[in-house]
Amino acid sequence: MLPGLLKTLKQVAASPLSQATTMPKEIYTSPIVLDHETQHIFSKEWICVGRADSLPKIGDYMTVEIANQPLIVTRGKDGKLNAISNICLHRGMVLAQGRGNAKKFTCPYHAWTYQPDGKLVAAAFMDKTECFDKSAMRLPQARCEEYLGWIYVNLDPDAVSVRDQLSELTELLEPYHMENYVSIFEEEHHWNTNWKCLTENFMEGYHLPVAHQATVGAHFNLMDTEFDERGKFDHFTYQYFTKKDSAPVGTAHPANTWLTGKWRSTSIMPTVFPSHMYVLAPDHLWYLALLPDGPDHVRIRYGAAMAPEVLEAWDNPEAMIADTKAFLDDVQEEDRAVVEGIFRGAKAPMTKAGPLSWLERENHEFTNYLARMLCP
Ligand code: FES
Ligand SMILES: [Fe+2]
């Protein structure tokens, strides 16, 4: 089944946008496709796992699982982030759960204990084991880089650095100084849909005036959507959009003197393939970082951050932060309804591929990315 499906995917990707359709529905529902994605995408690509300021102090850690590999991302004594395997070197128990601050990680099974850099420092009753050399044992590491305030992890030791991979995007992002934005919340959600349904949903603005008419859709001019005419990029796509004057947020604060003219009300919406999407406005950003959990569930890291000058302008920003979160939560619920809905559609026997609008150009670029990564 897989070779035929990938052949169709390649054909869909090769069509010009005016003839482009959605991907074959089995691309969303098949466990074989997910295995293939695990091997050719999630084991090789830079995966965003959240904002770097969510781990501000030495010893702060978070756990994440990428391509069946549980990892602990920690801030080391040198202030740098690193990602170590979250699997004990003894009999393979998972070491840590959730997030927190730790000077060491002790396995809950037989108490082997590791430093945050992965070095094994304690293992009781191993003195008679000849094939055991404590000083030589260390948890394997994944690549981990901080990039403009984001944490990116990659299981491929030979991957190009994320900064080099995204250099063309970096030029577009730098004027916003998003590395200084301060996180206001970060949560993990679990939805009943394939991860690609949510990636595609976030990328396109076509649904905003309809599915989000009660929230963001009211402040958005679809005809002002601006795509990059330079052509396709291998590792990301993006669009610019401008907020209407009625929008309560999305424009530069008076203390922001570095953005001028139309840039004071222009947001950029990048998707870093495969699964990191955000809206970056002059005053705030909000994001999703996705990981598949089977073909039919997605794990979503969802959060927002604000420009420091916006937060500093408030004596008491808590109420404003709560309002912002409530608004974004409503947007998320609206998206949840449609992305769980289209996943039901992908499983329905009568469903066939549907034609795309020119406003869904980024969905077609995503199809092309998947075809490049998955097809022989
Ligand atoms: S599996 Fe971790 S100490 Fe035994
Ligand atoms: Fe949406």
Side-chain angles (χ1 to χ4, degrees):
M1 169 204 162
L2 190 63
L5 190 54
L6 294 182
K7 193 169 162 217
T8 310
L9 178 67
K10 219 169 166 174
Q11 283 163 356
V12 174
S15 330
L17 180 59
S18 59
Q19 313 220 359
T21 67
T22 55
M23 295 186 277
K25 60 186 181 182
E26 295 81 6
I27 289 284
Y28 301 92
T29 55
S30 157
I32 300 168
V33 170
L34 180 66
D35 287 347
H36 208 58
E37 291 168 346
T38 302
Q39 189 185 343
H40 295 284
I41 296 179
F42 289 97
S43 300
K44 291 188 171 167
E45 291 281 75
W46 287 100
I47 304 297
C48 179
V49 298
R51 294 286 294 168
D53 70 349
S54 70
L55 301 177
K57 297 193 293 293
I58 290 169
D60 284 350
Y61 72 88
M62 69 193 298
T63 56
V64 63
E65 184 169 322
I66 300 174
N68 303 319
Q69 174 60 56
L71 295 164
I72 308 174
V73 179
T74 59
R75 193 169 293 279
K77 283 199 185 123
D78 58 1
K80 294 205 176 108
L81 292 171
N82 74 77
I84 51 175
S85 167
N86 189 12
I87 296 297
C88 182
L89 298 172
H90 178 219
R91 294 219 336 255
M93 177 63 187
V94 177
L95 292 166
Q97 310 280 348
R99 53 169 70 221
N101 184 281
K103 290 195 172 57
K104 56 192 184 188
F105 296 102
T106 298
C107 180
Y109 204 176
H110 314 93
W112 285 27
T113 299
Y114 303 85
Q115 287 180 176
D117 64 1
K119 199 172 173 322
L120 178 66
V121 288
F125 304 107
M126 294 298 292
D127 47 318
K128 294 181 184 165
T129 306
E130 289 174 4
C131 62
F132 172 74
D133 172 7
K134 189 174 81 186
S135 66
M137 297 192 80
R138 195 180 198 119
L139 298 167
Q141 280 197 318
R143 301 274 301 282
C144 184
E145 292 183 9
E146 221 171 302
Y147 165 77
L148 299 180
W150 302 105
I151 307 169
Y152 277 91
V153 173
N154 197 322
L155 295 174
D156 179 359
D158 301 320
V160 187
S161 89
V162 70
R163 187 167 282 274
D164 288 347
Q165 183 153 303
L166 298 179
S167 58
E168 290 154 309
L169 178 63
T170 312
E171 281 171 29
L172 309 172
L173 300 174
E174 273 173 345
Y176 290 89
H177 295 288
M178 79 171 149
E179 64 279 11
N180 299 330
Y181 283 25
V182 180
S183 290
I184 55 169
F185 71 88
E186 182 172 296
E187 292 180 347
E188 197 163 315
H189 293 201
H190 204 233
W191 288 2
N192 302 321
T193 191
N194 181 265
W195 69 277
K196 297 184 292 298
C197 294
L198 186 45
T199 301
E200 291 181 318
N201 174 71
F202 201 97
M203 285 191 292
E204 54 92 353
Y206 190 21
H207 73 284
L208 291 185
V210 189
H212 295 301
Q213 54 184 299
T215 56
V216 280
H219 308 291
F220 194 81
N221 282 323
L222 263 193
M223 292 309 291
D224 290 346
T225 306
E226 248 185 83
F227 295 111
D228 194 317
E229 296 305 331
R230 285 178 291 171
K232 292 175 190 144
F233 301 95
D234 283 349
H235 300 285
F236 70 92
T237 180
Y238 76 96
Q239 60 172 270
Y240 284 123
F241 62 87
T242 314
K243 290 278 176 67
K244 289 183 189 167
D245 291 342
S246 60
V249 291
T251 53
H253 188 271
N256 175 334
T257 52
W258 48 94
L259 291 172
T260 55
K262 73 165 192 172
W263 296 104
R264 296 187 67 77
S265 57
T266 298
S267 297
I268 182 168
M269 195 164 79
T271 298
V272 176
F273 297 139
S275 60
H276 181 208
M277 299 85 77
Y278 50 102
V279 170
L280 172 58
D283 58 343
H284 75 286
L285 66 84
W286 67 281
Y287 66 92
L288 304 181
L290 314 181
L291 284 165
D293 183 14
D296 49 358
H297 288 91
V298 60
R299 266 200 202 105
I300 309 162
R301 222 168 269 250
Y302 151 60
M306 290 215 151
E309 64 276 7
V310 175
L311 288 171
E312 282 157 18
W314 293 78
D315 286 336
N316 227 329
E318 284 75 19
M320 179 272 291
I321 289 172
D323 284 352
T324 305
K325 181 169 187 304
F327 180 79
L328 292 173
D329 285 352
D330 287 346
V331 176
Q332 279 285 90
E333 277 310 304
E334 289 165 345
D335 278 325
R336 180 178 187 150
V338 290
V339 299
E340 293 191 343
I342 58 170
F343 187 62
R344 284 178 65 196
K347 289 184 287 188
M350 293 182 187
T351 300
K352 292 206 175 354
L356 295 182
S357 157
W358 61 272
L359 282 165
E360 294 166 300
R361 173 170 142 162
E362 289 158 300
N363 296 47
H364 193 46
E365 290 178 16
F366 185 51
T367 303
N368 272 271
Y369 164 79
L370 292 169
R372 278 197 302 279
M373 299 301 288
L374 298 177
C375 299

